[in-house]
Amino acid sequence: MSWAEQRRWSRLAGICLVLSLGIAASYGPSSFPAAPAFSPILADPPPPERSLSLIPHSTVEAALKGGESHRYRIDLPPGQFADLVVAQQGIDVVLRLVGPDGGAFPEVDTPNGEQGLEPLPLLGASGPMRLKIYSTNPEAAAGRYAVRVGAVRPATDRDRASVAAERDFAATESLRRKATGRSFLAAKAGAMQAVSRFKTLGATARTAEALYALGRICDKLGETEAARSAFLEAQRGFRTVGDRSGEGRILNSLGPDLFTLGLLHEALACDREALALHRSLGNLRGEATALNNRGRVQAALGHSEDALDDYDRTLTLWRHLGFRINEGRTLTNRARLFSMLGDNERALADLDQALPLLTGHDAAEALDERGFLRSRTGRTAEAATDLAKALDLYRQAGDRRGEAVALNDLGLLWLSLGQKKGAKGAFEKVAFTFRELGDPASEAAALINLGRLRVDEGDLNDAEADFLRALAIDRRRGEAEAWMGIAQVRRARGDLRGALRAANKGLLHIETRRTELESLTLRTSFFAPYQDAFGFTVEAAMELHHREPRKGLDAQALELVERARARSLLDALARVAPPGAAFQTLTVRQIQRQVLGPDVLLLEYALGERRSFLWTVSSRSVQSYELPPRKVLEDAARQAHSLLADSRRTLARAPAREALAELSRELLGPAANDLKFQHLVVVPDGALHLIPFGALPDPRSPDLPLLARCEVVTAPSSSALAAIRRDAAGRRRAPAVLAVLADPVFDASDPRVPIRRNTATPQAVTVHRFSRLPYSREEAQIAVSLAPPGERQMDLDFAARREVATSGALNRFRIVHFATHAVVDSEHPELSGIALSMVDEKGRPEEGFLRLSDIYRLHLSADLVVLSACETALGKNVRGEGVMGLTRAFLHAGARRVLVSLWPVEDRATADLMRLFYAGLFQDGLTPAAALRQAQDNLRRQPNRQAPHYWAGFVLQGDWS
C-alpha cells in the first residue's frame, strides 16, 4: 500500500498520523481557475469592434492584458466554411461567438493554458457574427494572441461535422467548469462523444485534446485508472503531431494519477520528465505545476527537505505569474507536508494564508485540512466551524467523496467531544456513501470508527460485526485496525486470551506496513499513532499475567514494549541489513544473554493511560510491577525536573528533595528488593526522560542517591543497546583518543577578532545570539591535559569550526567533546544543533551552526561523545521513539554512548565535573559510566556543590560497558 493510500486511510479511520496528506489534491492544468461565464461590465464602455477579414491563410495578431477583451465582426455568407484558430502566446484566452440572432454558441476554452490553440471553425450565417476574445484572469501577465485564418471555401459534410464536434467539445468543457457532480457526469459523456467524433474525422491533435479533457473529468469523478488510460492515449496523440506543450500537460496530469495509484517512483520519474520538458519550452506555468507535483511525491517518499524546496520554488513561480488560486493550492500542499513532519503550527499558518486565495472545492480541501489539524490540537470550536464549512462547499461542488471525508472528520470530532449520537450517524452515512462510490477501503475505515463507538457504548455484537465486515471488504489496509477492534470486543467480554490473539494479528500487520515505507522519517511518523495499539496489548497481557502468574506473560508484555521502542534508531543502526529490512527487536531471553551481564539490572518503563508498568530484568530473572497512570508519573517527573534545575536556590532545595523522594517511591519503590546490582540500565518512557535516575534516593538507603552505590545509565531500548554494540563491534577502533572543540568565537565584537567590526553576524548565518562561556576553555584544556600525549586534538577559538565536524576529521577519535552552546528545539527538532565559530579571524560571518541534520550525516567511530552544553539531553518526545534530539542524532551517527545534560548547568560547575570525569577516565582507567558516577558523587560532597543542580544534571545514554 502506498503512503498516500495509508495516510488517507488512517485519517479516515481516526488514526491521527502526523504524515497526514488529506484528500488527494488536484494538480496539473486541471487545477487552474475555471473561466466564469461572460457578463458585461456596465461601468466601462465596450471596446471598439473590428472587422475580421477572412482572407485565406492570413493572420491577425494583437496584444492582450489580463482582464481585457477584444471584439471582432465576422461576415461569412451562408453555405461557406472558414477554418479559424486562435493561437495563445503567453496568455490564456476564451472565445465567445454570438450569431446574427444574438444567440451565443458554447464558449471555447480548451484546457491548454496560455500556449495552446483554440480552434473555432465557422459555418456561414445570414448576418454578421461577433467574436469576443478575452482573458478571465485580471492579474494575468500581458501576452499576445494570433487569429489564423486557414481555408475559406464552400462547406462540405466534413466541415459541418468538424464544426459540430468542436461545439460539442466546447459545451463539454463548459459543463466541466461548472464543477458539480451532475455536470461532471454529463461532461464525461460529452468528452467520450467528442473523442469518438474527432477519431472519425481523423483529427489526431483534437482527439488528443478531447482525451486530455476526458482524463481530467475522470480524475474529478475519482476514476483514477480511467483517467490514466485516457492520458496515456492522449500522450501518444500529442507525440504523433509533435505537440510538446500538449505532452507536457499530459505529464503534469499523469504524475498525480500515478501518485494516487501508489506508483510513487513512476510518479517521480513522470514529474521529472515534465519539469525538464516545460523548462525547455520556457513554460513557467507548466514548470510550476511539475514542481508542485514533484514536491508531493518527494514528501510521500520521506524526502522532506527536497519537498519543501520544490514547494518554495513553486510558490515563487505562482506569485510571479499572478496565479493566486494556484498559490493557495501549493500552500495547502506545503501545509500537508508540515503536518506530516508533526509541525502543526506551521501547517496551520500555511492554511490560514491559503484560504483567502481559494474558492469552491479548493477551499473545501483547505478547510477540511485545517479543521482536522485544529481538532488534533484541541481547538475544537474552530475545528467544528472549518469542517462544517468544508462539508457545505463539498456539497455545493457535488463532491460526494469530499463530503464523506469531511463528515467523517466531523464524526471524529463529535466523538472526542462525547457527542456519540451525532458521531454514530455520521459514520453510518459515511460508510453508506463510500459503499455507493465503490470505495471499500474508505468504507472499511468508517466501519471501524463505527465499531469503536459501539464498543464504547457496550454494543459488542454490532461492534464485532462492523469489524468483521471491515476485514471482509478491505484486508489490504484495514486489517490491523479491524483486528485491534476485535481485540477490544473480546477484552470487554473478558476473553483476554482471544483479545491477545487478535491484538497480535493487528500488531503484525502494523509492523508489516511500517517496514514497507522506505523513509525512516515516514516510519517514525507512521508508527507513533499506533503506540496505543501496543499499549492496549501490553495491558491485556499483564491482566492475563495477574490471572495466570506462572505462564510468563509479563515477559511477553515486555517483548511487546521492546517492539514499540526506538524502531527508527534500530532501523538506522541496521546498516548491514538489506534495503527495506528492519533490525529485529530482542526477546527477553536474548536481552538476558546479549545485553545484560551478571551484575546488571535493566529497568524498563511503559506508561499507560489507566496504569503503567515496570519490568526489572537481570541475567537470571524477570519481575514486573504495576505503577500509577501516565499523567500521575509524568506530572511528578516534570515538577521534579523543574525543581532540580532550580535547586541551587536555597528555598528550592527542600521541595526538590521531596519531589525526588516521591518519584523514588513511585518509580523504584515497588522494585526496591531488585536493586542490588552494580549497574542499572534504565529505559524510560515519556516525561521520565527528564529525570536523572542516579539522583533518585535509593529505596534501600533513602538518605543517599542511587549513584552513591551504583552506576546508572539510560538507553532508548534494550534492543537498541544490542544494535549499538553490534555496530561498534563491526568497525575498526579509532586510532586517536580525544578531540575537543571549545570556546568558539560567536561574534565580530569578540575581543579575539583582531580587526573590530561594527556589523553583527547576519541573521542568515544563525538566528541565535550566543555569549562566550568563560570556563569552556578551561574545561577543554583540563580534558586535553589528562589525555595521552600524541592522541589528542584541541580546536579553540576560530578553529572550533563547523567544518572540523563535517569534514570527517573527528572520525579518528574515540572521544569527541563539545564545550559550547547548544540549541534544543523540542517543537522543531530540525532547528536544534551545536554552536561553533560563526566568524573568521577577520570578523567575517561564516556558517557555524552544526545542525541536527549535519549530525545525522556524520560517520563517527566514537566510543563517547560529550555534549558539555545546556539541556543537550532534551528534544521532541515522540511516542514509541523517545526523545528525538542531539543524543539520538549522535547515536545514529555511530557514537556508542553520549554524555548529555538535562538542564542549564552552571559553567564553573560543569568544568569541575568534567575535570573529575576525565581524571576518572584517563588516570583511574574507569569506564565512562563509572567515571561519571565517581565524578558526580565527589562533586555532590563538596560544600558548595551539594544541590542537585550542580552535580545531577549530566546523564550517560547508550552502552555502559
Side-chain angles (χ1 to χ4, degrees):
M1 173 171 49
S2 76
W3 175 250
E5 293 175 293
Q6 172 61 37
R7 189 266 186 192
R8 185 173 73 87
W9 195 93
S10 299
R11 173 164 166 182
L12 286 167
I15 300 164
C16 297
L17 293 187
V18 297
L19 286 93
S20 194
L21 298 176
I23 308 165
S26 299
Y27 293 80
S30 63
S31 63
F32 297 144
F38 166 68
S39 59
I41 302 174
L42 301 179
D44 297 324
E49 184 178 86
R50 288 171 281 184
S51 179
L52 182 65
S53 298
L54 298 181
I55 300 174
H57 310 297
S58 63
T59 300
V60 175
E61 294 193 44
L64 188 72
K65 296 179 181 178
E68 280 188 342
S69 64
H70 293 168
R71 298 172 184 271
Y72 295 91
R73 170 182 170 136
I74 299 175
D75 293 293
L76 184 66
Q80 292 291 301
F81 168 78
D83 188 11
L84 267 64
V85 66
V86 177
Q88 300 164 122
Q89 300 169 357
I91 189 167
D92 189 7
V93 301
V94 181
L95 314 183
R96 187 171 193 265
L97 184 69
V98 178
D101 59 355
F105 295 98
E107 289 185 336
V108 178
D109 185 18
T110 303
N112 50 15
E114 62 271 16
Q115 297 296 335
L117 303 177
E118 301 288 1
L120 187 67
L122 296 176
L123 294 174
S126 57
M129 294 176 281
R130 286 173 169 81
L131 172 64
K132 177 182 175 183
I133 301 177
Y134 69 101
S135 164
T136 61
N137 182 6
E139 298 180 7
R144 299 183 65 81
Y145 66 85
V147 182
R148 299 172 183 168
V149 182
V152 180
R153 60 172 180 259
T156 66
D157 289 342
R158 178 183 175 81
D159 294 335
R160 282 185 281 272
S162 176
V163 170
E166 291 292 355
R167 289 180 180 171
D168 284 349
F169 185 31
T172 293
E173 279 296 287
S174 296
L175 284 168
R176 183 190 60 79
R177 289 193 295 273
K178 288 182 179 179
T180 67
R182 289 184 178 179
S183 71
F184 282 134
L185 289 171
K188 179 183 176 183
M192 293 173 70
Q193 183 174 340
V195 169
S196 176
R197 286 188 171 185
F198 285 134
K199 282 183 176 179
T200 300
L201 290 167
T204 304
R206 300 308 293 159
T207 302
E209 289 287 3
L211 282 164
Y212 172 53
L214 176 61
R216 297 171 70 210
I217 294 165
C218 288
D219 272 338
K220 290 294 185 182
L221 291 170
E223 300 171 3
T224 308
E225 194 58 64
R228 178 190 181 193
S229 177
F231 289 142
L232 288 172
E233 188 177 353
Q235 184 182 37
R236 291 191 290 271
F238 283 129
R239 282 178 175 170
T240 298
V241 299
D243 185 348
R244 298 184 70 217
S245 177
E247 187 178 351
R249 286 185 282 124
I250 290 295
L251 291 170
N252 277 353
S253 295
L254 189 58
D257 281 346
L258 293 168
F259 177 92
T260 301
L261 293 169
L263 305 172
L264 297 186
H265 292 288
E266 290 88 340
L268 186 60
C270 182
D271 295 336
R272 286 171 174 165
E273 184 181 355
L275 186 60
L277 178 55
H278 288 299
R279 282 177 174 166
S280 71
L281 296 172
N283 183 352
L284 294 182
R285 183 175 180 175
E287 179 182 344
T289 302
L291 276 170
N292 190 51
N293 293 349
R294 190 175 71 174
R296 185 186 185 197
V297 181
Q298 299 277 31
L301 289 171
H303 307 158
S304 305
E305 292 183 7
D306 292 335
L308 283 173
D309 182 61
D310 280 347
Y311 285 146
D312 290 344
R313 290 160 66 191
T314 304
L315 288 170
T316 299
L317 285 172
W318 288 144
R319 288 161 183 162
H320 170 73
L321 293 168
F323 291 157
R324 290 168 57 82
I325 193 167
N326 288 358
E327 178 187 346
R329 289 172 178 136
T330 299
L331 284 167
T332 302
N333 294 336
R334 193 171 71 176
R336 291 179 173 126
L337 176 56
F338 284 136
S339 172
M340 177 189 81
L341 298 173
D343 194 342
N344 292 334
E345 293 309 312
R346 277 202 278 185
L348 287 167
D350 268 359
L351 291 168
D352 290 343
Q353 189 180 347
L355 275 163
L357 308 176
L358 300 173
T359 59
H361 185 275
D362 300 300
E365 285 193 346
L367 282 165
D368 190 21
E369 191 73 27
R370 190 172 73 174
F372 180 72
L373 286 174
R374 282 176 163 176
S375 67
R376 259 191 15 213
T377 53
R379 307 172 205 185
T380 53
E382 295 169 313
T385 300
D386 280 346
L387 293 172
K389 288 180 181 177
L391 187 64
D392 185 54
L393 287 172
Y394 280 132
R395 284 172 175 163
Q396 291 179 32
D399 185 348
R400 294 187 68 204
R401 184 179 302 279
E403 180 183 344
V405 172
L407 185 58
N408 185 80
D409 288 343
L410 266 174
L412 292 170
L413 177 61
W414 290 332
L415 186 59
S416 71
L417 296 173
Q419 300 173 18
K420 295 181 182 179
K421 184 176 180 181
K424 185 177 181 180
F427 296 147
E428 288 174 339
K429 185 171 182 179
V430 170
F432 176 78
T433 300
F434 282 125
R435 191 177 309 137
E436 281 199 327
L437 290 173
D439 184 346
S442 299
E443 180 190 353
L447 287 169
I448 287 168
N449 287 337
L450 192 58
R452 289 171 178 159
L453 189 153
R454 295 193 206 274
V455 169
D456 195 46
E457 291 180 329
D459 185 1
L460 301 182
N461 291 335
D462 286 344
E464 186 174 34
D466 288 332
F467 294 133
L468 289 172
R469 174 162 174 74
L471 267 179
I473 64 175
D474 181 43
R475 283 191 171 272
R476 191 163 64 101
R477 275 158 290 201
E479 194 157 4
E481 287 75 13
W483 278 117
M484 294 309 301
I486 292 169
Q488 286 182 301
V489 170
R490 292 177 180 177
R491 183 180 177 186
R493 288 173 175 160
D495 179 11
L496 289 176
R497 285 199 172 278
L500 273 177
R501 284 194 298 269
N504 279 316
K505 288 182 180 180
L507 296 182
L508 179 62
H509 289 286
I510 291 170
E511 177 64 17
T512 299
R513 278 154 43 183
R514 190 190 75 86
T515 55
E516 286 173 352
L517 300 171
E518 297 178 15
S519 162
L520 295 185
T521 301
L522 292 186
R523 286 188 182 185
T524 299
S525 300
F526 165 81
F527 209 43
Y530 285 106
Q531 293 304 303
D532 285 338
F534 282 91
F536 169 89
T537 313
V538 168
E539 281 203 11
M542 292 302 291
E543 282 184 38
L544 193 56
H545 168 68
H546 286 300
R547 289 187 191 178
E548 304 173 9
R550 296 185 178 181
K551 296 291 181 66
L553 289 167
D554 56 343
Q556 292 182 29
L558 175 58
E559 290 169 4
L560 285 169
V561 172
E562 278 290 304
R563 287 169 60 188
R565 289 277 168 87
R567 299 306 300 277
S568 67
L569 178 60
L570 286 174
D571 291 343
L573 292 172
R575 293 170 182 157
V576 298
F583 184 76
Q584 295 300 310
T585 56
L586 302 184
T587 65
V588 168
R589 182 63 61 86
Q590 289 171 325
I591 292 171
Q592 291 173 316
R593 291 178 176 177
Q594 299 178 26
V595 177
L596 305 178
D599 201 19
V600 181
L601 183 71
L602 170 73
L603 292 86
E604 186 148 353
Y605 291 87
L607 305 185
E609 300 306 316
R610 294 189 295 178
R611 60 181 71 88
S612 302
F613 301 100
L614 163 64
W615 290 264
T616 62
V617 185
S618 71
S619 59
R620 296 186 177 183
S621 68
V622 179
Q623 301 294 330
S624 59
Y625 305 93
E626 186 173 315
L627 304 181
R630 173 188 295 275
K631 187 177 188 312
V632 172
L633 296 179
E634 291 200 315
D635 287 350
R638 291 190 181 99
Q639 182 185 23
H641 176 267
S642 177
L643 290 168
L644 287 168
D646 203 33
S647 61
R648 61 179 170 178
R649 293 176 54 247
T650 303
L651 293 178
R653 291 179 188 175
R657 283 195 299 271
E658 293 172 6
L660 284 174
E662 177 60 26
L663 265 181
S664 178
R665 285 191 291 271
E666 297 283 13
L667 297 176
L668 302 176
N673 293 331
D674 300 342
L675 304 179
K676 51 184 182 296
F677 289 82
Q678 180 61 34
H679 309 279
L680 299 184
V681 181
V682 180
V683 178
D685 190 17
L688 301 189
H689 285 93
L690 298 173
I691 298 304
F693 275 77
L696 293 180
D698 188 338
R700 304 196 305 167
S701 303
D703 294 333
L704 294 174
L706 273 178
L707 65 80
R709 183 185 56 80
C710 60
E711 300 167 13
V712 182
V713 300
T714 61
S717 72
S718 301
S719 301
L721 276 176
I724 289 168
R725 285 184 185 171
R726 187 194 64 180
D727 189 58
R731 64 186 184 224
R732 290 182 179 180
R733 181 178 172 84
V737 175
L738 175 66
V740 179
L741 287 84
D743 197 16
V745 184
F746 300 123
D747 196 274
S749 63
D750 191 296
R752 290 171 286 178
V753 179
I755 302 174
R756 306 294 291 277
R757 293 173 178 265
N758 295 324
T759 55
T761 303
Q763 292 297 303
V765 175
T766 177
V767 296
H768 303 282
R769 302 285 296 185
F770 303 105
S771 59
R772 188 176 182 183
L773 296 170
Y775 288 102
S776 65
R777 191 181 200 89
E778 177 184 334
E779 175 185 326
Q781 291 169 337
I782 291 171
V784 170
S785 70
L786 294 169
E791 298 186 38
R792 59 200 184 189
Q793 173 180 309
M794 179 168 60
D795 292 296
L796 300 175
D797 306 320
F798 302 102
R801 302 171 66 232
R802 176 176 176 271
E803 286 74 11
V804 175
T806 58
S807 66
L810 299 181
N811 300 0
R812 298 178 52 249
F813 297 93
R814 298 196 289 276
I815 301 174
V816 178
H817 184 116
F818 293 91
T820 180
H821 286 287
V823 174
V824 177
D825 194 318
S826 297
E827 290 300 317
H828 309 296
E830 72 276 7
L831 302 180
S832 301
I834 297 171
L836 297 170
S837 287
M838 295 179 177
V839 294
D840 65 12
E841 291 84 347
K842 295 183 179 181
R844 294 173 299 198
E846 62 181 15
E847 178 58 76
F849 196 59
L850 186 67
R851 302 180 184 279
L852 199 71
S853 57
D854 297 326
I855 299 169
Y856 270 104
R857 287 193 289 267
L858 299 179
H859 296 286
L860 299 177
S861 300
D863 292 330
L864 173 66
V865 171
V866 179
L867 301 181
S868 182
C870 297
E871 300 181 300
T872 49
L874 306 185
K876 184 171 184 177
N877 201 326
V878 177
R879 287 194 66 190
E881 286 296 334
V883 175
M884 304 295 283
L886 297 174
T887 304
R888 179 61 59 86
F890 276 106
L891 291 175
H892 181 283
R896 188 165 183 172
R897 58 187 67 81
V898 188
L899 183 60
V900 285
S901 61
L902 288 164
W903 54 74
V905 183
E906 186 196 50
D907 194 22
R908 173 75 262 186
T910 300
D912 290 344
L913 179 70
M914 292 301 163
R915 175 177 52 82
L916 294 168
F917 174 70
Y918 281 109
L921 278 182
F922 295 136
Q923 293 181 343
D924 301 336
L926 300 177
T927 65
L932 178 63
R933 188 204 72 79
Q934 178 176 282
Q936 290 180 317
D937 197 35
N938 287 342
L939 195 62
R940 76 177 183 87
R941 297 172 189 271
Q942 298 179 10
N944 60 341
R945 294 287 189 254
Q946 293 176 347
H949 167 84
Y950 297 111
W951 57 266
F954 279 88
V955 294
L956 190 67
Q957 300 195 9
D959 191 4
W960 75 92
S961 61

